[in-house]
Amino acid sequence: MVQPFYESVLEQIDATAKRIALDSGIHKMIRQPERELTVGIPIENETGEIEVFTGYRIQHSSARGPCKGGIRYHPDTNLDEVKALATLMTLKCAVANVPYGGAKGGIRCNPSKLSKKELQRLTKRYASMILPIIGPRRDIPAPDVNTNAETMGWIMDAVSMHEGATVLDIVTGKPLELGGSLGRSEATGRGVMISTIEILKKLKKDPKKTTVAVQGFGNVGSIGAELLAKQGCKIQAVSDVSCAIYNSDGLDISDLISYIISKPRIPLFKDYKLKKGDEIIKNEELLETDVDVLIPAALENQIHSDNADRIKAKIIVEGANGPVTKKGDEVLAEKGIYVVPDILANSGGVVVSYFEWVQGIQSFFWDIDEVNENLKKIMLKAFSDIWNISKREKVNFRDAAFILAIKKIAKAIDQRGIFP
Ligand code: NAD
């Protein structure tokens, strides 16, 4: 059985706590979210019937600042998944050194089965129901799987209607016209590209001689693939939920992106008109493709103790949150595979979310170069901090990232003191 996601995250925290001899009280605090809210969200569907969906908002830690984290719409979303994701957000914000704690939200639903009007009603009702605990200085949501700038615009509107004033800084990842930041929608994929190029540099590998496979072709995977192709990497395989496409000479990423954005609702690769040399492969095969870099950018628990020994890539850059289980990680470590962990590799999104929040508070907006330069500066600093810890402590990259994050969170908790 695949190790449950939340158990995997807690096991990694426990291992780090032991390694750094973390105070046992602080360890207990980091293991447990500060606040958990579950809501039953009623909406009237297109035929006028009432349907009730389950939604969550978990605030894991506010030790280092307001809680921050995305909102996911997925049929498998559940309380433990959202708790795991909220915990990773706290660690990620500490790694990037942005002044936030961690949170996450989600609604258990299948967005492909809902009309746009139903999705809008669901989102606005959910926003109203979590409103007692969110706010620009409490907890600031953002997009995640199956949510986007449009979803954030709906949340901003729902909150603003309650407040009787426009509240720009309640969410990040908004449309540009509603106080969004330039570069936010590309930021996570850009961060994945920055992390990949940096690890290649450290390992003295040439991006132009590097082959890549990307699992998941949504916001993170598609932009990551596009930006890496621009750096000269050969993207040999990509996948979505329907299938994977492989081409040993490299896929036409621009054409795949044009295909995705040309349709009103997200189209699937199984209906894509293949180009010369393209072939359809199974999703599992993509993970086991013989490439230099594998970027899992879909969902958690994709690489685990049952398939980790079949991974042929020499480097894994985690675009998704939790794509490798703790047990899977141990197998990869034995095989000498470098893993750039999620809490570093996909932190570009929260970094530019932070820029958006700052810009919204100041009502002063930056140009794209300023956003991208500051993102790169922050990500390279975090990368170098983690690299140095991994060399000094002789631990792998994930262990080093967890050491960096947990020490920062522990220090903040200690400096604040326990209330009352
Ligand atoms: P998305 O909804 O835009 O895209 C998800 C993609 O994964 C889609 O192409 C979907 O078809 C594909 N997919 C789903 N299940 C799959 C499977 N079993 N095999 C192959 N492909 C599959 O989501 P996203 O925003 O790109 O998020 C992807 C991952 O990155 C998630 O783990 C998310 O938490 C993480 N993440 C996202 C952001 C962000 O800013 N959006 C930031 C940090 C981390």
Side-chain angles (χ1 to χ4, degrees):
M1 194 189 92
V2 176
Q3 184 178 26
F5 183 22
Y6 192 36
E7 179 190 298
S8 184
V9 171
L10 291 179
E11 228 180 74
Q12 182 69 45
I13 288 175
D14 295 344
T16 310
K18 197 169 169 201
R19 182 169 271 131
I20 63 173
L22 183 67
D23 173 88
S24 69
I26 291 181
H27 180 193
K28 277 186 235 163
M29 286 178 73
I30 295 176
R31 275 188 124 255
Q32 169 109 14
E34 282 175 16
R35 195 173 279 116
E36 298 175 20
L37 177 63
T38 300
V39 291
I41 317 159
I43 62 155
E44 260 184 35
N45 67 18
E46 293 291 10
T47 56
E49 284 163 52
I50 295 174
E51 281 187 57
V52 182
F53 295 87
T54 305
Y56 309 96
R57 186 72 189 170
I58 307 293
Q59 295 170 344
H60 172 261
S61 170
S62 58
R64 298 185 63 262
C67 298
K68 184 92 190 79
I71 291 172
R72 172 176 293 195
Y73 291 175
H74 197 275
D76 297 334
T77 289
N78 60 69
L79 187 62
D80 269 3
E81 178 195 59
V82 184
K83 279 160 78 167
L85 291 165
T87 309
L88 288 176
M89 281 307 297
T90 303
L91 299 163
K92 194 181 302 181
C93 293
V95 162
N97 211 23
V98 290
Y100 288 135
K104 204 80 183 190
I107 302 178
R108 193 176 172 87
C109 67
N110 186 346
S112 67
K113 298 236 160 82
L114 296 170
S115 71
K116 193 163 168 175
K117 277 190 179 154
E118 287 167 336
L119 271 174
Q120 188 180 137
R121 281 200 287 270
L122 181 66
T123 303
K124 291 197 176 200
R125 179 71 187 222
Y126 168 70
S128 306
M129 295 181 85
I130 63 167
L131 185 56
I133 66 164
I134 62 169
R137 291 196 297 154
R138 287 199 184 115
D139 177 2
I140 308 119
D144 192 73
V145 173
N146 291 323
T147 58
N148 54 23
E150 184 178 54
T151 326
M152 297 305 113
W154 294 336
I155 296 179
M156 194 277 274
D157 179 71
V159 172
S160 299
M161 290 303 109
H162 281 280
E163 299 287 325
T166 299
V167 190
L168 285 185
D169 42 3
I170 181 67
V171 277
T172 57
K174 299 181 293 294
L176 288 180
E177 298 75 12
L178 298 178
S181 173
L182 289 168
R184 172 58 185 91
S185 60
E186 304 86 29
T188 311
R190 181 171 291 279
V192 167
M193 178 273 285
I194 292 170
S195 306
T196 308
I197 297 298
E198 203 53 22
I199 188 79
L200 290 174
K201 215 187 268 175
K202 292 281 186 207
L203 301 178
K204 302 197 175 11
K205 290 183 189 294
D206 181 357
K208 295 192 173 59
K209 292 185 185 144
T210 297
T211 54
V212 180
V214 182
Q215 184 201 37
F217 207 70
N219 174 275
V220 181
S222 67
I223 310 267
E226 184 183 34
L227 294 176
L228 280 168
K230 281 190 183 153
Q231 296 288 324
C233 296
K234 192 190 279 181
I235 316 296
Q236 286 186 323
V238 296
S239 65
D240 67 10
V241 70
S242 69
C243 68
I245 309 176
Y246 176 83
N247 187 329
S248 58
D249 294 328
L251 294 159
D252 184 343
I253 297 299
S254 307
D255 192 64
L256 285 160
I257 290 182
S258 305
Y259 166 70
I260 298 290
I261 57 181
S262 65
K263 306 278 188 310
R265 296 212 71 150
I266 296 172
L268 294 171
F269 281 162
K270 68 177 174 52
D271 303 318
Y272 174 72
K273 196 165 169 288
L274 297 179
K275 300 235 152 191
K276 189 167 172 274
D278 290 358
E279 51 181 301
I280 298 282
I281 59 170
K282 286 190 196 139
N283 265 331
E284 311 83 78
E285 287 178 72
L286 176 134
L287 295 174
E288 298 164 20
T289 313
D290 192 0
V291 282
D292 300 306
V293 181
L294 171 63
I295 303 182
L299 292 171
E300 58 271 11
N301 286 1
Q302 299 301 303
I303 300 168
H304 41 77
S305 53
D306 294 344
N307 66 358
D309 61 333
R310 295 199 295 274
I311 302 293
K312 295 186 198 70
K314 293 105 202 148
I315 299 169
I316 294 178
V317 180
E318 294 185 331
N321 286 307
V324 180
T325 66
K326 176 85 173 70
K327 303 256 182 291
D329 217 21
E330 286 160 12
V331 178
L332 298 178
E334 271 168 35
K335 285 172 62 115
I337 296 175
Y338 275 86
V339 179
V340 184
D342 46 9
I343 58 174
L344 169 64
N346 71 31
S347 63
V350 76
V351 171
V352 178
S353 271
Y354 165 56
F355 299 161
E356 180 176 330
W357 182 69
V358 168
Q359 294 169 76
I361 289 170
Q362 297 181 341
S363 291
F364 181 77
F365 289 86
W366 311 351
D367 65 29
I368 186 70
D369 291 343
E370 192 168 0
V371 171
N372 288 344
E373 276 162 28
N374 280 310
L375 168 64
K376 191 169 178 190
K377 207 191 294 172
I378 287 183
M379 290 214 59
L380 292 185
K381 166 84 173 71
F383 193 105
S384 142
D385 289 348
I386 292 171
W387 181 262
N388 293 340
I389 293 172
S390 96
K391 294 287 152 208
R392 196 174 60 232
E393 307 280 334
K394 299 190 175 33
V395 294
N396 69 31
F397 231 48
R398 190 187 312 280
D399 291 342
F402 269 66
I403 291 173
L404 176 69
I406 291 181
K407 280 189 173 173
K408 279 191 194 173
I409 299 157
K411 197 163 185 186
I413 293 172
D414 184 51
Q415 285 172 336
R416 288 176 71 141
I418 304 297
F419 178 83

